[in-house]
Amino acid sequence: QVQLVESGGGLVQAGDSLRLSCAASGRTVRTSAMAWFRQAPGKEREFVAGVKGLGGDIYYANDVKGRFTFSRDNGKNAVNLQMNNLKTEDAAIYYCATTFGNPITSTVRKASTYEFWGRGTQVTVSS
């Protein structure tokens, strides 16, 4: 059974940093496609960052590129999202996701690609 548990969210001011973590069980993050998505109130869930699988390139949404960093912690079987210089528009619930499939470049950013999701962690950014 695959379980994903996110942590690290909170309330910060614009310009601050947060580090989100997603602990996985039933799935080896080192060789799996893993991704972070976020969903703000009234908006669709959107891709933030992710990786296709073992040795795969890391993909970022354009509006987080240069501020957010995706990484894998193989020892803890977890993935992290380091978020720097946070903006008010980054406020959302952040979700971790994975799939048993092998996404390709055109599908890695799509929420429909992933069948396993965590419950999310709230990120609030005040101005």
Side-chain angles (χ1 to χ4, degrees):
Q1 183 178 1
V2 177
Q3 288 190 327
L4 303 172
V5 180
E6 303 94 337
S7 61
L11 170 63
V12 296
Q13 292 187 327
D16 285 351
S17 299
L18 274 177
R19 184 178 180 85
L20 305 183
S21 291
C22 171
S25 58
R27 197 87 176 111
T28 301
V29 301
R30 184 178 65 88
T31 58
S32 302
M34 304 290 301
W36 286 97
F37 285 76
R38 66 187 180 188
Q39 189 166 19
K43 294 187 178 181
E44 292 188 355
R45 192 168 296 191
E46 63 176 6
F47 175 81
V48 176
V51 62
K52 288 190 287 186
L54 178 64
D57 293 334
I58 299 174
Y59 297 83
Y60 294 96
N62 287 335
D63 58 350
V64 307
K65 202 173 295 183
R67 299 188 298 122
F68 290 12
T69 303
F70 177 100
S71 64
R72 283 192 269 217
D73 185 337
N74 297 330
K76 294 182 178 180
N77 202 40
V79 293
N80 301 311
L81 186 68
Q82 176 67 42
M83 306 187 295
N84 296 331
N85 190 22
L86 282 160
K87 303 177 180 180
T88 55
E89 52 264 41
D90 294 319
I93 299 175
Y94 282 71
Y95 298 92
C96 178
T98 189
T99 175
F100 279 132
N102 295 297
I104 57 178
T105 301
S106 62
T107 61
V108 68
R109 293 180 172 86
K110 296 180 179 180
S112 59
T113 296
Y114 303 88
E115 63 265 34
F116 300 102
W117 295 82
R119 292 187 175 183
T121 185
Q122 178 75 52
V123 172
T124 305
V125 185
S126 63
S127 58

